[in-house]
Amino acid sequence: MASLAERKAYREKIMQGLYETAEGNRLLGVTGSKLRDDLGIPDADIAAACTYLEGEGLVTVDWAAGNTPAMVMLTHQGIRVMEAKEEEQE
């Protein structure tokens, strides 16, 4: 089981990975397996992080069998959050 710090880091990595890969377009998604492989997040933790982010309204998830995220997409709210973070860094 991941620690609180790890769970927060996984969620941040997923949001950043989605934002960069989909280039801020909420119609473009990323497969859960690509996120897992690119970000190095264990299966159970990627499912938990996607569930959390979906509950916050930041992503939508198409789930496959076995509680696996098949496709993950940023919502409008998720894009706004990531754009705000990008503006803060400028």
Side-chain angles (χ1 to χ4, degrees):
M1 182 71 157
S3 69
L4 176 60
E6 289 171 323
R7 292 191 307 267
K8 286 183 175 184
Y10 291 154
R11 294 191 295 254
E12 182 62 34
K13 287 170 81 172
I14 289 169
M15 290 295 292
Q16 191 65 42
L18 282 172
Y19 186 67
E20 290 173 2
T21 303
E23 298 175 349
N25 184 340
R26 68 188 197 122
L27 299 176
L28 298 177
V30 178
T31 64
S33 60
K34 179 169 177 46
L35 284 173
R36 180 196 63 221
D37 295 344
D38 289 355
L39 303 176
I41 301 173
D43 286 334
D45 293 324
I46 199 159
C50 287
T51 299
Y52 180 93
L53 294 169
E54 188 174 43
E56 292 294 308
L58 301 174
V59 302
T60 57
V61 182
D62 293 331
W63 295 96
N67 197 28
T68 303
M71 183 66 65
V72 186
M73 296 155 284
L74 286 171
T75 63
H76 179 74
Q77 182 63 28
I79 292 169
R80 290 182 65 210
V81 166
M82 294 309 296
E83 287 175 345
K85 286 184 181 191
E86 187 175 2
E87 287 174 344
E88 288 174 7
Q89 295 173 354
E90 292 178 349

